[in-house]
Amino acid sequence: MSVQAAPPLEKPRKRPSAALYEVVVPLLATAGGFLVWEAICRAFGVPAYLVPAPSEILKDTLAIGPTVMGHTLATLKTVLLGFVVSIAISLPLAVLLTASPAIASALYPFLVWTQSIPKVALAPILVVVLGSNELPRVVITVLVAFFPLVISSATGLMSVPPELIELSRACRASKWSELWRIRLPYAIPFIFAGLKVAISLAVVGAVVAEFVNADAGLGFLIVTSTAFFKVPVAFGALIILSIMGVVLFQLVVIAERVFFPWSTGNAMAAS
Amino acid sequence: MISLNRVTRIFESRDGDRITALEDVSLSIRDNEFVTLVGPSGCGKSTLLRIVAGLILPTAGTASIGGAAITEPRSETGIVFQAPTLLPWASVMDNVLFPLRMMHRMDSASTDKAAALLKLVGLSGFESKSPRELSGGMQQRVAICRALVHEPDILLMDEPFGALDALTREEMTMELLRIWGERPKTVLFVTHSITEAVVLADRVVVMSPRPGRIAEIIEVATPRPRSFDNEANPAFHEATHRIRQLIFGQRHVGPGRAAA
């Protein structure tokens, strides 16, 4: 008997190399942006308390380097705690939401409600209720970050082809092994889509919380430094925050590529 | 072995409409018989298959296997669907072993059994490949191995070659006959293709739609082993002609009137 040849696996075409487009070009573009910024500030003599030049930002931020590092770590701690708690809440919640229509209709109003409250308005109230410590910051971070993760995980759990569910039923599998062996793995690409949004939002949430209640953190640094017109330091904190966001996002992307290589690319199309 | 006695299945849609998918269907299938179900869309072929699978229950009438009523999925039944629906994260081998894992029936011989099945369908050496590295026809072969790995005595196939191109489809049909020859089983095979139905079957069950009923059961007298070359054979020709009449004949309407 004959077997058709497997279609040749799509090899990355010979281009100048993927690294060039993924790393070198974005870095060059960023550096170029900073150069233009520097040039404009110098050419028009923009005062540092309005828009500081990148060189001033670097100088003033490095001058208090250890302090900035402490603030960065404080924010990073809040972001990561908030992110981990978001995952711990969102995945079971998504499983519950997809378990039965009754549970879904009971839970959805609460979910939407948590999202319709402005977190900035909620933050000072939470500080009064929970005290002035890490807890309200993590709670706010979670409130900002968890929702997209729940929604995309729930969508993923529902995206399993009905035939696979029938197959699982035909194998007399328990609901638990159906969840563990079919639904959750199928939801992985959706869960990671949610994780990418959640990690970005966690940074936002942590800064919002620090604006309201903190004695450390980059959000706190921005509030205090602008109060004293140390605008270059505020800009420095801002840049560090954006770098933190990009790095954390990329870590999630890398985690998906390393641990779930089938999830990226056209894994779903192949099934 | 499989026996359906006056089976009716009514689905209730969300707005309260009652749709009769199957009405008063009686059919009995012998051990190791190859039966194909053919008919236009909406004739209840898939519903009938799922009732035999135990995935849905009849609204009225009884369905039984070996005298025991079908009330839930039975572990000695294998199912192949139209789409291969392989698990994208698992290797070919793990996909074949999947039913055994789900049934907690893995033992030391399981891997050898799966490897033997993959050899039977010509996929030796593909054990560690990922499903997405396989063509559509090869994926469906893996799905067939998956349906056979727990050594079922009944194999249910719901348009298994429907998504394949015409050439691969003929090849897979012959392949299935060869597998069935080597490992005889009771097969219930749903298809849209009249030729496919006649090449494969001992008996072709022709169904008519709205409500789904059995129009006629046709014995195929063509001797085995068969191939698509048999199309010239008179018995083959007679069977396909009769099936066409049953399916299309009822649609002929006088001039000037829209076809029903």
Side-chain angles (χ1 to χ4, degrees), chain A residues 166, chain B residues 4 7-11 19-23 25 37 42-59 63 156 158 188 190 207 212:
Chain A
E166 288 191 323
Chain B
L4 302 176
V7 166
T8 296
R9 171 71 210 201
I10 296 166
F11 288 106
I19 298 149
T20 310
L22 279 181
E23 190 173 79
V25 168
L37 292 176
C43 69
K45 314 183 285 283
S46 291
T47 307
L48 185 71
L49 189 98
R50 278 167 175 73
I51 285 177
V52 176
L55 291 168
I56 53 183
L57 295 175
T59 313
L156 304 174
D158 190 4
L188 189 57
V190 168
M207 299 187 68

Side-chain angles (χ1 to χ4, degrees), chain B residues 132-144:
Chain B
R132 63 171 141 169
E133 297 175 72
L134 270 53
S135 68
M138 293 162 95
Q139 290 190 20
Q140 197 56 285
R141 284 168 212 256
V142 176
I144 292 173

Side-chain angles (χ1 to χ4, degrees), chain B residues 24-260:
Chain B
D24 207 10
V25 168
S26 297
L27 175 68
S28 69
I29 301 174
R30 293 184 300 272
D31 271 352
N32 297 341
E33 189 178 13
F34 204 126
V35 170
T36 52
L37 292 176
V38 64
S41 300
C43 69
K45 314 183 285 283
S46 291
T47 307
L48 185 71
L49 189 98
R50 278 167 175 73
I51 285 177
V52 176
L55 291 168
I56 53 183
L57 295 175
T59 313
T62 53
S64 61
I65 292 174
I70 308 170
T71 53
E72 57 175 357
R74 170 177 173 274
S75 45
E76 300 313 314
T77 301
I79 308 182
V80 182
F81 301 99
Q82 179 171 2
T85 55
L86 302 178
L87 309 174
W89 56 88
S91 67
V92 165
M93 175 56 89
D94 285 331
N95 266 292
V96 175
L97 290 173
F98 183 70
L100 292 177
R101 287 230 169 82
M102 294 295 266
M103 292 185 218
H104 306 288
R105 275 168 51 179
M106 286 289 283
D107 55 45
S108 52
S110 298
T111 315
D112 291 341
K113 226 184 281 175
L117 277 169
L118 285 168
K119 187 163 179 250
L120 183 70
V121 301
L123 285 179
S124 287
F126 287 85
E127 288 84 354
S128 57
K129 290 262 191 288
S130 141
R132 63 171 141 169
E133 297 175 72
L134 270 53
S135 68
M138 293 162 95
Q139 290 190 20
Q140 197 56 285
R141 284 168 212 256
V142 176
I144 292 173
C145 292
R146 179 177 65 184
L148 294 175
V149 73
H150 55 293
E151 291 173 359
D153 48 15
I154 297 177
L155 183 59
L156 304 174
M157 308 184 89
D158 190 4
E159 295 184 49
F161 309 143
L164 303 178
D165 65 83
L167 296 177
T168 311
R169 193 171 178 150
E170 278 199 13
E171 192 189 341
M172 293 290 289
T173 307
M174 299 324 299
E175 181 101 12
L176 176 63
L177 276 181
R178 192 175 59 78
I179 295 170
W180 180 66
E182 283 188 33
R183 305 191 176 196
K185 301 187 183 305
T186 312
V187 183
L188 189 57
F189 185 105
V190 168
T191 178
H192 272 124
S193 158
I194 294 171
T195 322
E196 194 174 87
V198 174
V199 168
L200 287 169
D202 295 318
R203 286 189 299 159
V204 180
V205 177
V206 185
M207 299 187 68
S208 64
R210 283 173 290 275
R213 296 176 207 239
I214 295 182
E216 199 171 308
I217 299 176
I218 292 164
E219 296 268 351
V220 181
T222 328
R224 294 184 188 272
R226 297 185 190 153
S227 77
F228 281 91
D229 300 333
N230 292 139
E231 279 190 79
N233 181 307
F236 189 100
H237 187 75
E238 195 185 319
T240 51
H241 179 69
R242 179 73 192 128
I243 296 168
R244 286 217 165 80
Q245 260 187 340
L246 286 165
I247 293 174
F248 301 113
Q250 64 215 17
R251 289 192 192 170
H252 286 313
V253 193
R257 286 169 58 191

